[in-house]
Structures are given as structure tokens and as C-alpha cells.
Amino acid sequence: MALFQAMGNIGEPEEKKEITGEAEKVKVLIIGSGPAGYTAAIYAARANLSPVMYQGLEPGGQLTTTTEVENFPGYPEGVTGPVMMEDLKAQAERFGTDSRWGIISDVDLSQRPFKAIVDGTKLIEAEAIIIATGATAKYLGLESEEKFKGSGVSACATCDGFFYKGKDVAVVGGGDTAAEEAHYLSGLCNKVYLIIRKDYMRASKAMIERVEKTENIEILYEHVTKEITGGMGVEGVTLDNKGKEVKIKVDGFFVAIGHSPQSQLFSKWVDTDNEGYIKTIAGTSKTNVDGVFACGDVMDSTYKQAITAAGSGCKAALDAEKFLAAQM
Ligand code: NDP
């Protein structure tokens, strides 16, 4: 059981710890606590599968770092990300989900029951596993970016763009996401600067054409973000253009330089694509390992919305229920 003696964040073994005690046996283990994980938990609990959920490093997931969520159906006045996640958690617990603090630090999916280690010390044996570990937006890594997260710096135009209606904003990145976000924001904002570090965009031809043709998008090639400036909120960005300092005035700064799916822990067992997203059988949440299901942003490189994650969490629970029923 050498595999189970590493402890650390997902995919990053840190320190050896001894596994103690008997294995805890569970029917369905849900790993991750965003909209996908909680929706899977609600459905699994209502199907009497007594799901056990480990919340992971960021309980509640990415939404806990956003402010207002206005596009999740059922909240006509909007809701803050943290409150929405508390609501989902309460709903999952109401039906008997056992949601726990803790990080799954290793798994063995080679045979059933699957094995999972919590915080490097506790062994769980699960008949089925639902992976809902999500993805994390990549950030530039600037100190000023960290300072304005939630008050002018965002990694989601669909979530936060509305707050910049009629204002000037900047988007950094040269891929399809950045092009899409810039185009989306151009419909809401007065002006959108698209900041690209190279002298070309990596986005698809169609997307490049679209942003180039949009009048209120100004593309700044060969510009590197040095600092985001402001007081209570973002007021501008300082850029470097081949050694020359350039300052632009904006109220919002959107980072669109890609996402990283949190699949490292599982990629030894389940198939992933080139970007690390877990592959599922079309139209289902089934991975290549019978009894292991994936939902939410860890398997969705396209939509990445709370509502689509919730929908796929529902599918995962229904698929797990069917799978377990067939084992009896
Ligand atoms: P990509 O990895 O394709 O692009 C990331 C962009 O961010 C690149 O232009 C990269 O620059 C830039 N970047 C990375 N790090 C930094 C940094 N530190 N500073 C400045 N710029 C940086 O990510 P996307 O999220 O755009 O796309 C991911 C995948 O999803 C792609 O395959 C894409 O095609 C797909 N996608 C498809 C969509 C669609 O079909 N509608 C929509 C959105 C995404 P550089 O080029 O210099 O490395």
C-alpha cells in the first residue's frame, strides 16, 4: 500500500503519513464541493445512497471567490457565491449527505471497492466515486492582481461582466477564452482592451476575425501586464510594450489565460484529454473506469458555468445510482 502513504494537495504528494484504523466503507464517495458535487450529493442522498462528500481545499469551489451570481436560475434578485454554496450544502445535508472537511490525497481506482485516502491518514472504500473537483482559473501571479480580486479583477466575464456595463475594461489573454470574453464584454462595456503578450493571437481564426471586427475592442499586441492600479477598486493597468511603459484607464480587469482542471489525482486511472479534462462517454458522466463518474468543470472544457456543472452533477448521481443497482 505504498501508494497510500503520500499526503498532500491534489497531485502534489508532500509528506509521508501512516494510515491508521479500519477502512470506512461507503456506497458513494463524492470528491469536491462545487455546484456539481452538491447537486450530485442532493440526488444521491435522495436515492438513499448515503453519500459521503469531501469538500476539498476550497469548500464551495470557485463560486466562493465571486461576488454576485445573477445567472443561476431561481434567484431573481441574484445571490452571492458563498451564500449560494451554503444553500446547496444545506440542501444536500437535509437529505442526509455527510459533507466533511478534508482533502482526498490519493486514490486507487484499479478495482472495486475503490480506495481513497483522506488527508493522508484515513482510508475509505467506496463502491462508486463521483469526481467533482472542478478547475481553477489561471492568474498572472501579480501582487496587485491578488489585491483587487473581487473588486475589479475577475476571471469570469459571464459572471461579472454585467457590473461593468458602460465602463472600460481590459481582458488579458490571446486564446479563444480571451477572445470570447472580450467579445461578450464588448456588448456590455464602453470599451474593451484585449491585452496579448505576443504579436499574434492563439485563438481560432473565426474568433480573431470577430474581435478584430468589433469596433469597441482595441487589441494591444506585445503588451505585458506589469501592474493593476487603483484605490478601492481597479482604476488602470500599467503595461510594458517592448520596453515602453503604457498606462490604460479601466474599471475592470478580466484574466482569461486558461483554466486548469483538477484531475491530476485521477489521471493515472481515468482518461483525460490533452488539457487534463476528464473524458466522459458522450451524454453521460461515465469515465473509462466502471463505477467512476465525473461532473462539472473537471470534465467540461467548454461551458464552465455553475448551472451546467449542477446539471452534470445530477447526471453523475443518476449514473451512479444505476450502476450500483446493477451490481446487486
Ligand atoms: P489557451 O491556453 O488556449 O490560451 C491562453 C492564452 O493566455 C494564450 O494566448 C497565452 O499566451 C495567454 N497567457 C498564458 N499565460 C499568460 C500570462 N502569464 N500572461 C499573458 N498571457 C498569458 O486557453 P483558453 O482558455 O483560451 O482555451 C483553452 C482551450 O479551450 C483551447 O483549446 C480553446 O480553443 C478552447 N476554447 C474553445 C472555445 C470555443 O470553441 N468556443 C472557447 C474557449 C476555449 P501565449 O499564446 O503567449 O502562450
Side-chain angles (χ1 to χ4, degrees):
M1 293 283 282
L3 170 73
F4 288 137
Q5 299 191 350
M7 150 74 184
N9 296 342
I10 287 178
E12 300 167 4
E14 280 169 5
E15 124 199 10
K16 304 269 184 193
K17 284 200 177 178
E18 204 179 322
I19 314 301
T20 51
E22 282 285 293
E24 179 186 356
K25 295 186 189 316
V26 306
K27 277 189 212 151
V28 177
L29 174 66
I30 299 173
I31 308 175
S33 58
Y38 278 127
T39 306
I42 291 165
Y43 275 78
R46 286 173 54 83
N48 272 341
L49 297 177
S50 314
V52 169
M53 167 193 277
Y54 277 91
Q55 295 175 15
L57 262 188
E58 190 179 45
Q62 290 180 76
L63 274 187
T64 56
T65 61
T66 64
T67 46
E68 212 56 23
V69 179
E70 293 184 332
N71 54 7
F72 199 93
Y75 291 101
E77 304 304 324
V79 61
T80 66
V83 167
M84 193 177 112
M85 296 320 300
E86 279 304 312
D87 283 350
L88 281 170
K89 181 169 186 262
Q91 193 174 354
E93 288 179 347
R94 182 181 147 210
F95 297 110
T97 299
D98 185 348
S99 90
R100 305 173 180 174
W101 289 91
I103 295 163
I104 299 296
S105 50
D106 216 335
V107 292
D108 179 348
L109 308 181
S110 59
Q111 57 180 24
R112 291 181 52 240
F114 304 117
K115 297 184 177 66
I117 293 293
V118 184
D119 294 329
T121 53
K122 179 183 163 69
L123 176 60
I124 294 210
E125 289 184 353
E127 293 301 320
I129 288 188
I130 294 177
I131 303 170
T133 43
T136 46
K138 294 180 192 161
Y139 283 89
L140 298 172
L142 300 171
E143 219 171 273
S144 52
E145 178 187 52
E146 198 57 40
K147 176 177 163 194
F148 291 113
K149 264 186 201 168
S151 61
V153 169
S154 165
C156 179
T158 333
C159 321
D160 297 328
F162 188 74
F163 303 111
Y164 301 93
K165 210 171 175 182
K167 297 183 174 173
D168 292 354
V169 297
V171 176
V172 62
D176 280 319
T177 303
E180 272 197 350
E181 304 239 310
H183 189 256
Y184 174 79
L185 289 165
S186 72
L188 293 169
C189 303
N190 177 54
K191 174 158 189 163
V192 181
Y193 294 96
L194 182 54
I195 303 166
I196 295 162
R197 63 182 174 181
K198 290 195 176 138
D199 62 355
Y200 64 90
M201 284 181 76
R202 194 196 289 191
S204 57
K205 272 208 167 73
M207 283 311 297
I208 297 173
E209 258 177 40
R210 192 179 295 176
V211 291
E212 279 177 349
K213 276 189 186 156
T214 306
E215 277 186 8
N216 62 341
I217 297 180
E218 182 176 340
I219 306 177
L220 301 174
Y221 286 109
E222 293 184 87
H223 281 70
V224 174
T225 307
K226 287 291 165 196
E227 196 186 3
I228 298 151
T229 52
M232 294 297 283
V234 169
E235 289 168 13
V237 185
T238 306
L239 304 163
D240 178 278
N241 174 220
K242 294 186 278 180
K244 197 175 80 197
E245 187 176 272
V246 175
K247 285 178 187 278
I248 54 172
K249 281 190 177 177
V250 291
D251 298 294
F253 184 81
F254 289 86
V255 188
I257 62 171
H259 279 79
S260 310
Q262 307 217 71
S263 61
Q264 301 91 322
L265 190 61
F266 314 101
S267 54
K268 180 174 169 194
W269 316 98
V270 300
D271 291 343
T272 56
D273 68 11
N274 291 342
E275 315 267 340
Y277 289 92
I278 294 178
K279 286 185 184 174
T280 51
I281 296 169
T284 77
S285 66
K286 296 175 190 172
T287 69
N288 58 303
V289 179
D290 268 355
V292 177
F293 307 89
C295 53
D297 286 9
V298 73
M299 49 68 73
D300 172 15
S301 61
T302 310
Y303 299 104
K304 304 171 190 167
Q305 299 298 301
I307 187 65
T308 49
S312 72
C314 162
K315 283 188 189 174
L318 295 178
D319 287 342
E321 186 187 353
K322 251 190 210 154
F323 169 79
L324 290 171
Q327 307 304 309
M328 290 187 186

